[in-house]
Amino acid sequence: MNRRRFLAATPLALLYVSAETVLAKLPSEARLRALADSKSFRFGSAIDPQTISDPVASELYVENVNSITPRNDLKWSATEKSPGVFSFASADRLVAFAQKNNMRVYGHTLIWYRVPDWVSEIADAKALRTAMDRHIKQVVTRYKRSIDAWDVVNEPLEYDAPDLRDCIFRRHLGDDYIRMSFDMAHEADPDATLVLNETHLEKKSNVFEQKRAHILKIVEDLVARETPIHAVGLQAHFRPGLDRIDPEGMGRFCAALKEMGIGVYITELDASCHFLKRDQGFRQAAYADIFREVITVAAEHGDLKGVTVWGMSEKYGVPDEKEADANGACTKRVNLYDENNAPRSSVDGIRRAIEAM
């Protein structure tokens, strides 16, 4: 029995019809998965476990992406809350959803400065290295046949500065913790694509140009030492009215990586609804230009391996208190679909960028 006949015979039928109704309203060009598949291109979205329980929300993923990134469920705070005690139930659900729908899975993230309290309280280098090794190998080995790419180290630099971040790993292990992390991940899965993920690498400012330069130095050093690093992730969280894309700087950065044999992923593409507060002249159609340009620059100048947006629909988005203003507005990220699951102009921007590849 196929899926539609099965659901028609169950209490989920009405919900599924709702999903079909929503998707039937979308023009065929708004359904991005078929286009990405026709180009053999990886196009994905962050996802949360509760999303796959909603037939409308899950169908938006099935229709639009061929890859998913568990938003929080593979982070250290989710998988190893206590030393040596691992929990994978939520991540397993998302991996199973991907396998059922013939999607790839991008792992996020192994080493990040945000860790459980017990990790922050480790007092010496040997104990921390042992914990790192156990954590990376346990997580990567579990998903060796189901996750083909990983953000190995996430945000090694300060958010709005070009300096290496003062984190527990660097305090005990020095700058070499980055190399150690990649070596550990490679040992756990020699076939996985290993990525260094960072913020603000696609934006215009002197500070962000310095961040690009520092990341290039880190990558050059890793390559020189034959560390298994395969790509750099550009998060691409935009704050319109504050951020501007830097096509020249970003293009030079992607080209320099390509010369070293290092690929590029766009890993967390979205925008902030502060656009409307900070730029009174901003037009909704400009979302298309922002999403299209960042993909196009990476594709034209670098070895672009894939694009992931940081959520599919604002209807199912998790409020972000950091984005809230004094009136409580702007608590969600701008993604592909609005609160009514109607496509934003960002869908058209992404479509045009992929078509041009």
Side-chain angles (χ1 to χ4, degrees), residues 43-46 67 69 106 235 266-269 306-310:
F43 178 66
S45 174
S67 174
T69 298
Y106 186 105
Q235 289 188 6
I266 296 169
T267 55
E268 304 180 26
L269 179 61
V307 173
T308 294
V309 295
W310 207 234

Side-chain angles (χ1 to χ4, degrees), residues 224-244:
R225 299 170 70 178
E226 299 185 349
T227 304
I229 178 173
H230 306 113
V232 169
L234 286 69
Q235 289 188 6
H237 291 296
F238 285 97
R239 303 165 294 181
L242 178 63
D243 294 326
R244 287 184 296 155

Side-chain angles (χ1 to χ4, degrees), residues 210-228:
Q210 293 174 51
K211 286 194 76 167
R212 287 190 285 268
H214 198 162
I215 290 294
L216 284 177
K217 287 181 63 177
I218 292 172
V219 173
E220 287 171 356
D221 179 65
L222 293 174
V223 170
R225 299 170 70 178
E226 299 185 349
T227 304

